[in-house]
Amino acid sequence: MSWREQGTVVKQALLTGVSYMLPFVVAGGILIALGFAIGGIYVYDGTGFAADVFAWGKMAMNLMTAVLGGYIAYSMADKPALAPGFVAGTIAATQGSGFLGAILGGIAAGYIVMALKKIRLPFALRSMLPVLIIPVVGTLAVAVLMQYALGIPVTWLNTWMLDTLQSMSGGTLVLLGIIQGAMLAFDMGGPVNKAAYAFALAAADAGNWAPMAANFIASMAPPLGIALAILIARRKFTKAEQASVGGLLVGGAGMITEFAIPFAAASPLRVIPALMAGSSVGAALSYVAGLTLQAPHGGLFVLLLCNKPLLFLLILAVSGLVTAFTLIALRPNLPADPAPGAAPDDEPVSSSADALQLD
């Protein structure tokens, strides 16, 4: 396998791992938010239903790194790699190497199992390979690797990253917000977006929730901004596009950036720069305002977990307006009258859930 093919395998494994991890993140984040909403800010110190909801959310969140490591390994080496991958992710969570450790552990587990699969055994023993030899030897090998080699520098890196983020101020935070926002709006669910999301998750895992607040605003702004652009300058959008406003607003409120994909796919050179501009401004302002949001997903449904909810809404509105006015400036006017024989513009724009590409 060439280096390019190796890169493709690892890239696909990362996307697979993040995709399988997201439902746990979303479920955990929203249950934690519900726990806070029902039981108050000190719900974790109490008992009863609200405390249980909070605890269930924490359980889902605690599975995040294990699922990530497990499905990265699964993508590379199929079912026999699940056990080593899950163990690598669990070790990453307990030793402090967190999200980054789970990624490296999952990749290591994948390669270890791929190598073990090549062992030649007598015919009578071949059935033992996937159910006994690979799980046991693979898990032992990746556990030793995580505990005594990979985990040590990654744990140090996590600590360094947390200290660096906490020491950032002024211009460096603005620059960080611009880069993070642009990455989140660039491909909306693609590898660049997920790399920025991974950064916010890693920071949250280390106890810094400022990047997650910036992540929220930058991810909610694209569909919100397109909806605002349609409402402000309806003459620049077809009737079918105008009918998508409701779905776009729901996508913005729910932090589902992918609702903007149909518009970006139809006119990438005009739409994507507008989305990146609005998301960059929003993320930078989020850092400047010192926003934090202790949930990994959920949009407005977890707003109460923000330290400054009203300021969050104000910055989100500014971010959406920057997106909207940039898009209006870049988008040409529609022809006053369709040419004779031209196709009607009532073909619906696929901004609904069936257009989402969460995988």
Side-chain angles (χ1 to χ4, degrees), residues 188 221-231 237 245 248 259-261 263-264 271 275 320 323-324 327:
M188 293 165 282
L224 173 64
I226 294 175
L228 292 175
I230 294 174
L231 293 173
F237 297 88
V245 167
L248 289 164
F259 271 78
I261 286 178
F263 291 86
V271 175
L275 305 185
T323 301
L327 180 57

Side-chain angles (χ1 to χ4, degrees), residues 240-241 244 258-263 347-356:
E241 289 171 332
S244 304
E258 287 87 346
F259 271 78
I261 286 178
F263 291 86
E347 187 70 22
V349 174
S350 300
S351 61
S352 55
D354 60 359
L356 305 186

Side-chain angles (χ1 to χ4, degrees), residues 2 48 84 95 130 187 206 266 282 299 325:
S2 67
Q95 73 180 172
D187 56 357
F325 283 112

Side-chain angles (χ1 to χ4, degrees), residues 102-119:
I103 290 175
L104 292 178
I107 293 172
Y111 277 117
I112 288 170
V113 173
M114 288 166 71
L116 290 173
K117 279 183 168 181
K118 296 178 181 176
I119 295 175

